[in-house]
Amino acid sequence: MNKYARLSLIATAAIAMVACSKQEQPASGQASSAPAQAAGGDAAVVKIGQVSPMSGPISHLGKDNEYGAKLAIEDLNAQGVEIGGKKVKFELVSEDDQGDPKIGTQVAQRLVDAGVAGVVGHLNSGTTIPASKIYSDAGIPQISPSATNPDYTKQGFKTTFRVIANDVQQGKALGEFAAGELKAKKIAIIDDRTAYGQGLADQFEGAVKAKGAEVVKREFTNNTATDFNAILTSIKSAKPDLVFYGGMDAQAGPLAKQMQRLGIKAKLMGGDGWQTPEFIKLAGDASDGQYASSCGVSRDKMPGFKAFDEKFKKEFNTDVQIYAPFEYDAVMVLVDAMKRAKSSDPKAYLPEVGKTDYSGVTGKIAFDDKGDIKNGAVTVYQVKNGKWEVVSTVGGN
């Protein structure tokens, strides 16, 4: 009996030691300055969220963003990054918001519940703005690589940042180019009634009016439409010199084709939402001569774009659409702040994000007190012989 009692005591002690060891580990989904150890115990896992529309009419742009984040995560893990003297392994948690504001808030909460240390996204202003409150309430840094509506950073949240120029800068650059360089006197404006499309169109309208141009028509559609004949017939009667479209390439391509079919000679102009290879593909020869802007300097002026582009094409067998290099830089900015704070805990490294002074693929990145990039550049392009060519650049470092 004494023998069995001794064995029982040994077993009880072993169980107690295992239980104590488990209790010392942080709970799944909780942020921690010392993240849970990965399998094998050799590196701590730090989760970074990524949100973009990976289904629907602009899924090509959403996947472009996701690919940029994936490259960043791969490069970071290859570097063997250490935070606070401890080796870490980064894990991308990717979500599809379908470009829908309601779904955007749902996936934002899902990322918070998953215990991500930071979020890169969303792509659209219409999803980025409502989701930003959820990240703010959770104290999680959010960097958008593509949302340009100024309201995103006007909310007073300490967690919101963006790595591209906003629509105040973009709309002004486009408006001044249209009325100044192109000498357009009569302008028609169409927008898709999203936070991005309408917001950019409003900024453009203010800029062209300030330059003395007349807005002869202001029409709107939605971000799923493909038939613009009624709108364009109305616009044709006003005989504009230029038609501005605030929206994405999925609509801008068919719009350009239908303008050509109706014999509208006015040039088409828009913003970064359709300064893409996809627009040229959708519009065909109707794309030739049309203008659009992109936030940032031209790719030949981006210090790291050539190497990034080569790696991107090799990895994903496709061309960069628009925002992938900005997405890549946004991930790197988050991690740079973690390294300076010596912690991946959002509470600890959030203050360091605002102090960013980082040289990335797209150029120098530093934020103002609202979270907007300082000295954001805007580049105007024109389609010539089936390719986007640089016309002019405003701003930049």
Side-chain angles (χ1 to χ4, degrees), residues 120 142-146 160-165 295-297 302-304 323-337 340 352-368 371-377 396-397:
V120 178
Q142 174 193 11
I143 304 179
S144 176
S146 48
T160 56
F161 303 88
R162 70 173 123 223
V163 291
I164 58 172
C295 296
V297 297
M302 289 182 182
Y323 306 117
F326 297 96
E327 178 102 1
Y328 180 95
D329 278 354
V331 173
M332 292 299 187
V333 165
L334 285 177
V335 175
D336 181 63
R340 285 184 281 113
E352 293 298 324
V353 181
K355 301 174 189 175
T356 291
D357 185 1
Y358 182 80
S359 295
V361 168
T362 60
K364 184 177 179 181
I365 298 171
F367 301 113
D368 65 17
D372 283 312
I373 191 170
K374 291 180 179 178
N375 303 315
N397 298 297

Coordinates of all heavy atoms in Angstrom, one line a residue, residues 120 142-146 160-165 295-297 302-304 323-337 340 352-368 371-377 396-397:
V120 N -3.8 46.2 -41.7 CA -3.5 47.0 -42.9 C -4.8 46.9 -43.7 O -5.2 45.8 -44.2 CB -2.3 46.4 -43.6 CG1 -2.1 47.2 -44.9 CG2 -1.1 46.5 -42.8
Q142 N -4.4 50.9 -37.3 CA -4.9 50.6 -38.6 C -4.2 51.5 -39.6 O -4.2 52.7 -39.4 CB -6.4 50.8 -38.6 CG -7.0 50.7 -40.0 CD -8.4 51.2 -40.0 OE1 -8.9 51.9 -39.1 NE2 -9.2 50.9 -41.1
I143 N -3.6 50.9 -40.6 CA -3.0 51.7 -41.7 C -3.7 51.3 -43.0 O -3.6 50.2 -43.4 CB -1.5 51.5 -41.8 CG1 -0.8 51.8 -40.5 CG2 -0.9 52.4 -42.9 CD1 0.7 51.6 -40.5
S144 N -4.3 52.3 -43.6 CA -4.9 52.0 -44.9 C -3.9 52.3 -46.0 O -3.3 53.4 -46.0 CB -6.2 52.8 -45.2 OG -6.7 52.6 -46.5
P145 N -3.7 51.4 -47.0 CA -2.8 51.7 -48.1 C -3.6 52.4 -49.3 O -2.9 52.6 -50.3 CB -2.4 50.3 -48.5 CG -3.7 49.5 -48.3 CD -4.3 50.1 -47.1
S146 N -4.9 52.6 -49.1 CA -5.6 53.0 -50.3 C -6.8 53.9 -50.1 O -7.4 54.5 -51.0 CB -6.1 51.8 -51.1 OG -6.7 50.8 -50.2
T160 N -5.7 55.6 -36.5 CA -5.9 55.6 -37.9 C -4.7 56.3 -38.6 O -4.4 57.4 -38.3 CB -7.2 56.3 -38.3 OG1 -7.2 57.6 -37.7 CG2 -8.4 55.6 -37.8
F161 N -4.2 55.7 -39.7 CA -3.1 56.2 -40.5 C -3.4 55.8 -41.9 O -4.1 54.8 -42.2 CB -1.8 55.6 -40.0 CG -1.5 55.9 -38.6 CD1 -1.9 55.0 -37.6 CD2 -0.8 57.0 -38.2 CE1 -1.7 55.2 -36.3 CE2 -0.5 57.2 -36.8 CZ -0.9 56.3 -35.9
R162 N -2.7 56.6 -42.9 CA -2.7 56.1 -44.3 C -1.4 56.5 -44.9 O -0.8 57.5 -44.5 CB -3.9 56.7 -45.0 CG -3.8 58.2 -45.3 CD -5.0 58.7 -46.2 NE -5.8 59.7 -45.5 CZ -7.1 59.8 -45.6 NH1 -7.8 58.9 -46.3 NH2 -7.7 60.7 -45.0
V163 N -1.0 55.7 -45.9 CA 0.3 55.9 -46.5 C 0.3 56.5 -47.9 O 1.2 56.5 -48.6 CB 1.1 54.5 -46.5 CG1 1.5 54.1 -45.2 CG2 0.3 53.5 -47.3
I164 N -0.9 57.0 -48.3 CA -1.0 57.7 -49.5 C -1.7 59.1 -49.3 O -2.3 59.3 -48.3 CB -1.9 56.9 -50.6 CG1 -3.2 56.6 -50.0 CG2 -1.1 55.6 -51.0 CD1 -4.2 56.0 -51.0
A165 N -1.7 59.9 -50.3 CA -2.3 61.2 -50.3 C -3.8 61.1 -50.2 O -4.4 60.0 -50.6 CB -2.0 62.1 -51.5
C295 N -2.2 58.2 -56.3 CA -1.6 58.8 -55.2 C -0.2 58.2 -55.0 O -0.1 57.0 -54.9 CB -2.4 58.6 -53.9 SG -4.1 59.4 -54.0
G296 N 0.8 59.1 -55.0 CA 2.2 58.6 -54.9 C 2.9 59.1 -56.1 O 2.3 59.5 -57.1
V297 N 4.2 59.0 -56.1 CA 5.1 59.3 -57.2 C 4.9 58.2 -58.2 O 4.5 57.1 -57.9 CB 6.5 59.6 -56.8 CG1 6.7 60.7 -55.9 CG2 7.1 58.3 -56.2
M302 N 9.7 55.6 -57.5 CA 9.6 54.9 -56.2 C 10.9 54.2 -56.0 O 11.4 53.4 -56.9 CB 8.5 53.9 -56.2 CG 7.1 54.5 -56.2 SD 5.8 53.2 -56.2 CE 4.3 54.2 -56.2
P303 N 11.6 54.4 -54.9 CA 13.0 53.9 -54.7 C 13.1 52.4 -54.7 O 14.1 51.8 -55.1 CB 13.4 54.4 -53.4 CG 12.2 54.9 -52.7 CD 11.2 55.3 -53.8
G304 N 12.0 51.7 -54.3 CA 12.1 50.2 -54.2 C 11.2 49.5 -55.1 O 11.1 48.2 -55.0
Y323 N -2.3 49.3 -55.5 CA -1.9 49.6 -54.1 C -1.0 48.6 -53.5 O -0.6 48.8 -52.3 CB -3.2 49.6 -53.3 CG -4.2 50.6 -53.8 CD1 -5.5 50.2 -54.2 CD2 -3.9 52.0 -53.8 CE1 -6.4 51.1 -54.7 CE2 -4.9 52.9 -54.3 CZ -6.1 52.4 -54.7 OH -7.0 53.3 -55.2
A324 N -0.6 47.5 -54.2 CA 0.3 46.5 -53.5 C 1.5 47.0 -52.9 O 1.9 46.6 -51.8 CB 0.6 45.4 -54.6
P325 N 2.3 47.9 -53.6 CA 3.5 48.4 -52.9 C 3.2 49.3 -51.6 O 4.0 49.3 -50.7 CB 4.2 49.3 -54.0 CG 3.1 49.5 -55.0 CD 2.2 48.4 -55.0
F326 N 2.0 49.9 -51.6 CA 1.6 50.7 -50.5 C 1.2 49.8 -49.3 O 1.5 50.0 -48.1 CB 0.5 51.7 -50.8 CG 0.8 52.7 -51.8 CD1 0.6 52.5 -53.2 CD2 1.5 53.9 -51.5 CE1 0.9 53.5 -54.1 CE2 1.9 54.8 -52.4 CZ 1.6 54.6 -53.7
E327 N 0.6 48.7 -49.7 CA 0.2 47.7 -48.7 C 1.4 47.1 -48.1 O 1.5 46.9 -46.8 CB -0.6 46.6 -49.4 CG -1.0 45.4 -48.5 CD -2.5 45.5 -48.0 OE1 -3.2 46.4 -48.4 OE2 -2.9 44.6 -47.2
Y328 N 2.4 46.8 -48.9 CA 3.7 46.2 -48.4 C 4.3 47.2 -47.4 O 4.7 46.8 -46.3 CB 4.6 46.0 -49.6 CG 6.0 45.5 -49.3 CD1 6.3 44.1 -49.4 CD2 7.0 46.3 -48.9 CE1 7.5 43.6 -49.2 CE2 8.3 45.8 -48.7 CZ 8.5 44.4 -48.8 OH 9.8 43.9 -48.5
D329 N 4.4 48.5 -47.8 CA 5.0 49.5 -46.9 C 4.2 49.6 -45.6 O 4.8 49.8 -44.5 CB 5.1 50.8 -47.6 CG 6.3 50.9 -48.5 OD1 7.1 50.0 -48.5 OD2 6.4 51.9 -49.2
A330 N 2.9 49.5 -45.7 CA 2.0 49.6 -44.5 C 2.4 48.6 -43.5 O 2.4 48.8 -42.2 CB 0.6 49.6 -44.8
V331 N 2.5 47.3 -43.9 CA 2.9 46.2 -43.0 C 4.3 46.5 -42.4 O 4.5 46.4 -41.2 CB 3.0 44.9 -43.8 CG1 3.6 43.8 -42.9 CG2 1.6 44.5 -44.3
M332 N 5.2 47.0 -43.2 CA 6.6 47.3 -42.7 C 6.6 48.4 -41.7 O 7.4 48.4 -40.7 CB 7.5 47.6 -43.9 CG 7.8 46.5 -44.8 SD 8.6 45.1 -44.0 CE 9.0 44.0 -45.3
V333 N 5.7 49.4 -41.9 CA 5.6 50.5 -40.9 C 5.1 50.0 -39.6 O 5.7 50.4 -38.5 CB 4.7 51.6 -41.5 CG1 4.3 52.6 -40.4 CG2 5.4 52.4 -42.6
L334 N 4.1 49.1 -39.6 CA 3.7 48.5 -38.3 C 4.8 47.8 -37.6 O 5.0 48.0 -36.4 CB 2.5 47.5 -38.6 CG 1.1 48.1 -38.9 CD1 0.2 47.0 -39.2 CD2 0.6 49.0 -37.8
V335 N 5.5 47.0 -38.3 CA 6.6 46.2 -37.7 C 7.8 47.1 -37.3 O 8.4 46.9 -36.2 CB 7.1 45.1 -38.7 CG1 8.3 44.3 -38.1 CG2 5.9 44.1 -38.9
D336 N 8.0 48.1 -38.0 CA 9.1 49.1 -37.7 C 8.7 49.7 -36.3 O 9.6 49.9 -35.4 CB 9.2 50.2 -38.7 CG 10.3 51.2 -38.4 OD1 11.5 50.8 -38.3 OD2 10.0 52.4 -38.2
A337 N 7.5 50.1 -36.1 CA 7.0 50.7 -34.8 C 7.2 49.7 -33.7 O 7.5 50.0 -32.6 CB 5.6 51.1 -35.0
R340 N 10.8 49.5 -32.6 CA 11.2 50.6 -31.9 C 10.7 50.6 -30.5 O 11.3 51.1 -29.5 CB 10.9 51.9 -32.6 CG 11.8 52.2 -33.8 CD 11.5 53.5 -34.5 NE 10.3 53.4 -35.4 CZ 9.2 54.0 -35.2 NH1 9.0 54.8 -34.1 NH2 8.2 53.9 -36.0
E352 N 4.4 54.7 -31.2 CA 5.6 54.8 -32.1 C 5.1 54.9 -33.6 O 5.9 55.3 -34.4 CB 6.4 53.5 -31.9 CG 7.1 53.5 -30.6 CD 8.1 54.6 -30.4 OE1 8.7 55.0 -31.4 OE2 8.2 55.1 -29.2
V353 N 3.9 54.4 -33.9 CA 3.4 54.5 -35.3 C 3.4 56.0 -35.7 O 3.8 56.3 -36.8 CB 2.1 53.8 -35.5 CG1 1.6 53.9 -36.9 CG2 2.1 52.4 -35.0
G354 N 2.9 56.8 -34.8 CA 2.8 58.2 -35.2 C 4.1 58.9 -35.3 O 4.2 60.0 -36.0
K355 N 5.2 58.3 -34.8 CA 6.5 58.9 -34.9 C 7.3 58.3 -36.1 O 8.5 58.5 -36.2 CB 7.3 58.6 -33.6 CG 6.7 59.1 -32.3 CD 7.4 58.7 -31.1 CE 6.7 59.0 -29.8 NZ 7.4 58.4 -28.6
T356 N 6.6 57.6 -36.9 CA 7.3 56.9 -38.1 C 8.1 57.8 -38.9 O 7.7 58.9 -39.3 CB 6.2 56.2 -38.9 OG1 5.7 55.1 -38.2 CG2 6.8 55.6 -40.2
D357 N 9.3 57.4 -39.3 CA 10.2 58.0 -40.3 C 10.8 56.9 -41.0 O 11.9 56.4 -40.7 CB 11.2 58.9 -39.6 CG 12.0 59.7 -40.6 OD1 11.8 59.6 -41.8 OD2 13.0 60.4 -40.2
Y358 N 10.1 56.4 -42.0 CA 10.5 55.1 -42.7 C 10.7 55.3 -44.2 O 9.9 56.0 -44.8 CB 9.4 54.1 -42.4 CG 9.6 52.7 -43.0 CD1 10.5 51.8 -42.3 CD2 9.1 52.3 -44.2 CE1 10.7 50.6 -42.8 CE2 9.3 51.0 -44.7 CZ 10.2 50.2 -44.0 OH 10.4 48.9 -44.5
S359 N 11.7 54.7 -44.7 CA 12.0 54.7 -46.1 C 11.6 53.4 -46.7 O 12.2 52.4 -46.5 CB 13.5 55.0 -46.4 OG 13.8 56.3 -46.0
G360 N 10.5 53.4 -47.5 CA 9.9 52.2 -48.0 C 10.0 52.0 -49.5 O 10.7 52.8 -50.2
V361 N 9.3 51.1 -50.1 CA 9.3 50.8 -51.5 C 8.7 52.1 -52.2 O 9.2 52.4 -53.3 CB 8.4 49.6 -51.8 CG1 8.0 49.5 -53.3 CG2 9.0 48.3 -51.3
T362 N 7.7 52.7 -51.6 CA 7.1 53.8 -52.3 C 7.7 55.2 -52.0 O 7.3 56.2 -52.6 CB 5.6 53.9 -51.9 OG1 5.5 54.1 -50.5 CG2 4.8 52.6 -52.3
G363 N 8.7 55.2 -51.1 CA 9.3 56.5 -50.7 C 9.3 56.7 -49.2 O 9.0 55.7 -48.4
K364 N 9.5 57.9 -48.8 CA 9.6 58.2 -47.4 C 8.2 58.3 -46.8 O 7.3 58.9 -47.4 CB 10.3 59.6 -47.1 CG 10.5 59.9 -45.7 CD 11.3 61.2 -45.5 CE 11.4 61.5 -44.0 NZ 12.1 62.8 -43.8
I365 N 8.0 57.7 -45.6 CA 6.7 57.7 -44.9 C 6.9 58.3 -43.5 O 7.6 57.8 -42.7 CB 6.1 56.3 -44.8 CG1 5.9 55.7 -46.2 CG2 4.8 56.3 -44.0 CD1 5.6 54.2 -46.2
A366 N 6.1 59.4 -43.3 CA 6.0 60.0 -42.0 C 4.6 60.6 -41.9 O 4.0 60.9 -42.9 CB 7.0 61.1 -41.8
F367 N 4.0 60.6 -40.7 CA 2.6 61.0 -40.5 C 2.5 62.3 -39.8 O 3.3 62.7 -39.0 CB 1.9 59.9 -39.7 CG 1.9 58.6 -40.4 CD1 2.6 57.5 -39.7 CD2 1.3 58.3 -41.6 CE1 2.6 56.2 -40.3 CE2 1.3 57.0 -42.1 CZ 2.0 56.0 -41.5
D368 N 1.4 63.1 -40.2 CA 1.1 64.3 -39.4 C 0.3 63.9 -38.2 O 0.0 62.7 -37.9 CB 0.4 65.3 -40.3 CG -1.0 64.9 -40.8 OD1 -1.6 63.9 -40.3 OD2 -1.5 65.5 -41.8
G371 N -2.6 61.5 -38.8 CA -2.4 60.2 -39.3 C -2.2 60.1 -40.8 O -2.0 59.1 -41.4
D372 N -2.3 61.3 -41.5 CA -2.1 61.4 -42.9 C -0.6 61.4 -43.2 O 0.2 62.0 -42.4 CB -2.8 62.7 -43.5 CG -4.3 62.6 -43.6 OD1 -4.7 61.6 -44.1 OD2 -5.0 63.5 -43.2
I373 N -0.3 60.9 -44.4 CA 1.1 60.9 -44.8 C 1.5 62.4 -45.1 O 0.7 63.2 -45.6 CB 1.4 60.0 -46.0 CG1 2.9 59.9 -46.3 CG2 0.6 60.6 -47.3 CD1 3.2 58.8 -47.3
K374 N 2.7 62.8 -44.7 CA 3.2 64.1 -44.9 C 3.7 64.2 -46.4 O 4.3 63.2 -46.9 CB 4.4 64.4 -44.0 CG 4.0 64.6 -42.5 CD 5.2 64.9 -41.7 CE 4.8 65.1 -40.2 NZ 6.0 65.4 -39.4
N375 N 3.5 65.3 -47.0 CA 3.9 65.6 -48.4 C 3.5 64.5 -49.4 O 4.3 64.1 -50.2 CB 5.5 65.7 -48.4 CG 6.0 66.8 -47.5 OD1 5.4 67.9 -47.4 ND2 7.0 66.5 -46.7
G376 N 2.2 64.1 -49.3 CA 1.7 63.1 -50.2 C 1.7 63.6 -51.6 O 1.3 64.7 -51.9
A377 N 2.2 62.7 -52.5 CA 2.3 63.0 -53.9 C 1.0 62.6 -54.7 O 0.4 61.6 -54.3 CB 3.5 62.4 -54.5
G396 N 5.2 65.3 -53.0 CA 6.1 64.2 -52.8 C 7.4 64.6 -52.1 O 7.6 65.8 -51.9
N397 N 8.1 63.6 -51.6 CA 9.4 63.9 -50.9 C 10.6 64.0 -51.8 O 10.6 63.3 -52.8 CB 9.6 62.8 -49.8 CG 8.4 62.7 -48.8 OD1 8.2 63.6 -48.1 ND2 7.7 61.6 -48.8

